[in-house]
Amino acid sequence: MAIKKREQPGKQVVSDQELSTKIEQFAAGADGGAPIEHAKALELDQNANRDYKAMRVPFNQYEHEQLELGAKLSGRTKLNFMRYAMLKLSKELQEE
């Protein structure tokens, strides 16, 4: 049984070769991706809502205890402590 390709009315039909090329370009971008331009990063609002991406970060017991200790000593929540540390290290690395 052959697979029937769906076609949307009014949409331009792409040849198999063009489709293969587009798939390869997409996969190449997904593997390495283009680096974020520094100017583009400056345009982003650092105080924007935090609904863009979410991550699940697994910790071992030692890392979690260090996170709790750092958060307690800094007077921050664990999540805020992680954000603060990430932003601080990122800034330091950019200045090198």
Side-chain angles (χ1 to χ4, degrees):
M1 178 187 254
I3 298 174
K4 183 179 177 184
K5 292 183 182 178
R6 287 192 220 172
E7 295 181 10
Q8 296 178 354
K11 188 166 184 175
Q12 183 181 6
V13 177
V14 180
S15 72
D16 288 340
Q17 180 61 35
E18 288 177 298
L19 182 60
S20 294
T21 303
K22 287 184 177 188
I23 291 171
E24 288 300 319
Q25 290 172 345
F26 175 80
D31 287 342
I36 297 174
E37 296 175 17
H38 188 64
K40 183 178 179 184
L42 294 177
E43 294 172 8
L44 299 177
D45 180 10
Q46 65 183 16
N47 298 316
N49 289 340
R50 292 190 172 103
D51 58 0
Y52 176 68
K53 294 278 184 179
M55 299 173 70
R56 179 183 176 276
V57 183
F59 292 101
N60 63 30
Q61 185 177 358
Y62 173 79
E63 293 167 339
H64 190 265
E65 288 177 4
Q66 291 299 304
L67 175 61
E68 284 183 329
L69 179 61
K72 184 178 180 180
L73 292 173
S74 67
R76 300 172 182 273
T77 64
K78 290 181 273 191
L79 187 56
N80 184 268
F81 182 78
M82 288 190 297
R83 281 191 187 113
Y84 173 78
M86 177 272 305
L87 291 169
K88 184 175 181 179
L89 180 59
S90 180
K91 185 176 179 180
E92 288 175 3
L93 292 172
Q94 290 175 28
E95 291 173 354
E96 288 182 356

mmCIF file of all heavy atoms in Angstrom, residues 19-33:
data_model
loop_
_atom_site.group_PDB
_atom_site.id
_atom_site.type_symbol
_atom_site.label_atom_id
_atom_site.label_comp_id
_atom_site.label_asym_id
_atom_site.label_seq_id
_atom_site.Cartn_x
_atom_site.Cartn_y
_atom_site.Cartn_z
ATOM 1 N N LEU A 19 11.999 18.769 -1.204
ATOM 2 C CA LEU A 19 11.592 18.346 0.131
ATOM 3 C C LEU A 19 12.768 17.713 0.868
ATOM 4 O O LEU A 19 13.022 18.015 2.032
ATOM 5 C CB LEU A 19 10.424 17.367 0.047
ATOM 6 C CG LEU A 19 9.854 16.885 1.365
ATOM 7 C CD1 LEU A 19 9.343 18.069 2.186
ATOM 8 C CD2 LEU A 19 8.741 15.883 1.123
ATOM 9 N N SER A 20 13.519 16.870 0.180
ATOM 10 C CA SER A 20 14.696 16.242 0.797
ATOM 11 C C SER A 20 15.722 17.286 1.209
ATOM 12 O O SER A 20 16.311 17.212 2.283
ATOM 13 C CB SER A 20 15.350 15.254 -0.178
ATOM 14 O OG SER A 20 14.492 14.177 -0.421
ATOM 15 N N THR A 21 15.923 18.286 0.366
ATOM 16 C CA THR A 21 16.867 19.363 0.679
ATOM 17 C C THR A 21 16.404 20.146 1.897
ATOM 18 O O THR A 21 17.192 20.428 2.799
ATOM 19 C CB THR A 21 17.016 20.314 -0.524
ATOM 20 O OG1 THR A 21 17.427 19.557 -1.663
ATOM 21 C CG2 THR A 21 18.018 21.410 -0.234
ATOM 22 N N LYS A 22 15.104 20.469 1.965
ATOM 23 C CA LYS A 22 14.573 21.210 3.110
ATOM 24 C C LYS A 22 14.691 20.393 4.394
ATOM 25 O O LYS A 22 15.006 20.936 5.453
ATOM 26 C CB LYS A 22 13.116 21.606 2.862
ATOM 27 C CG LYS A 22 12.968 22.722 1.861
ATOM 28 C CD LYS A 22 11.524 23.145 1.729
ATOM 29 C CE LYS A 22 11.421 24.323 0.763
ATOM 30 N NZ LYS A 22 10.080 24.892 0.743
ATOM 31 N N ILE A 23 14.442 19.103 4.311
ATOM 32 C CA ILE A 23 14.574 18.235 5.491
ATOM 33 C C ILE A 23 16.017 18.206 5.973
ATOM 34 O O ILE A 23 16.291 18.301 7.173
ATOM 35 C CB ILE A 23 14.060 16.814 5.187
ATOM 36 C CG1 ILE A 23 12.538 16.840 5.009
ATOM 37 C CG2 ILE A 23 14.464 15.836 6.278
ATOM 38 C CD1 ILE A 23 11.949 15.546 4.506
ATOM 39 N N GLU A 24 16.960 18.087 5.060
ATOM 40 C CA GLU A 24 18.379 18.077 5.423
ATOM 41 C C GLU A 24 18.801 19.399 6.056
ATOM 42 O O GLU A 24 19.554 19.427 7.032
ATOM 43 C CB GLU A 24 19.251 17.777 4.199
ATOM 44 C CG GLU A 24 19.178 16.345 3.730
ATOM 45 C CD GLU A 24 19.629 15.365 4.795
ATOM 46 O OE1 GLU A 24 20.613 15.614 5.516
ATOM 47 O OE2 GLU A 24 18.963 14.316 4.928
ATOM 48 N N GLN A 25 18.328 20.508 5.509
ATOM 49 C CA GLN A 25 18.655 21.818 6.076
ATOM 50 C C GLN A 25 18.082 21.953 7.485
ATOM 51 O O GLN A 25 18.738 22.462 8.383
ATOM 52 C CB GLN A 25 18.123 22.940 5.190
ATOM 53 C CG GLN A 25 18.860 23.075 3.881
ATOM 54 C CD GLN A 25 18.181 24.073 2.940
ATOM 55 O OE1 GLN A 25 17.033 24.455 3.142
ATOM 56 N NE2 GLN A 25 18.905 24.469 1.892
ATOM 57 N N PHE A 26 16.863 21.483 7.668
ATOM 58 C CA PHE A 26 16.233 21.537 8.985
ATOM 59 C C PHE A 26 17.019 20.687 9.988
ATOM 60 O O PHE A 26 17.307 21.119 11.099
ATOM 61 C CB PHE A 26 14.785 21.046 8.901
ATOM 62 C CG PHE A 26 14.113 20.956 10.234
ATOM 63 C CD1 PHE A 26 13.602 22.094 10.828
ATOM 64 C CD2 PHE A 26 14.002 19.751 10.901
ATOM 65 C CE1 PHE A 26 12.977 22.036 12.063
ATOM 66 C CE2 PHE A 26 13.387 19.676 12.133
ATOM 67 C CZ PHE A 26 12.873 20.816 12.716
ATOM 68 N N ALA A 27 17.385 19.482 9.594
ATOM 69 C CA ALA A 27 18.125 18.583 10.481
ATOM 70 C C ALA A 27 19.499 19.153 10.817
ATOM 71 O O ALA A 27 19.944 19.066 11.957
ATOM 72 C CB ALA A 27 18.267 17.210 9.834
ATOM 73 N N ALA A 28 20.161 19.759 9.842
ATOM 74 C CA ALA A 28 21.474 20.355 10.093
ATOM 75 C C ALA A 28 21.359 21.492 11.088
ATOM 76 O O ALA A 28 22.187 21.654 11.983
ATOM 77 C CB ALA A 28 22.105 20.845 8.790
ATOM 78 N N GLY A 29 20.318 22.289 10.959
ATOM 79 C CA GLY A 29 20.100 23.385 11.895
ATOM 80 C C GLY A 29 19.769 22.887 13.281
ATOM 81 O O GLY A 29 20.173 23.459 14.286
ATOM 82 N N ALA A 30 19.025 21.781 13.358
ATOM 83 C CA ALA A 30 18.650 21.216 14.661
ATOM 84 C C ALA A 30 19.861 20.611 15.354
ATOM 85 O O ALA A 30 19.979 20.652 16.575
ATOM 86 C CB ALA A 30 17.555 20.175 14.490
ATOM 87 N N ASP A 31 20.778 20.022 14.593
ATOM 88 C CA ASP A 31 21.963 19.402 15.182
ATOM 89 C C ASP A 31 22.908 20.433 15.776
ATOM 90 O O ASP A 31 23.326 20.319 16.902
ATOM 91 C CB ASP A 31 22.725 18.571 14.140
ATOM 92 C CG ASP A 31 22.005 17.288 13.788
ATOM 93 O OD1 ASP A 31 21.122 16.878 14.575
ATOM 94 O OD2 ASP A 31 22.314 16.700 12.746
ATOM 95 N N GLY A 32 23.246 21.439 15.001
ATOM 96 C CA GLY A 32 24.202 22.423 15.491
ATOM 97 C C GLY A 32 23.561 23.765 15.746
ATOM 98 O O GLY A 32 23.875 24.459 16.690
ATOM 99 N N GLY A 33 22.657 24.100 14.890
ATOM 100 C CA GLY A 33 21.976 25.381 15.023
ATOM 101 C C GLY A 33 22.910 26.541 14.759
ATOM 102 O O GLY A 33 24.124 26.432 14.844
#
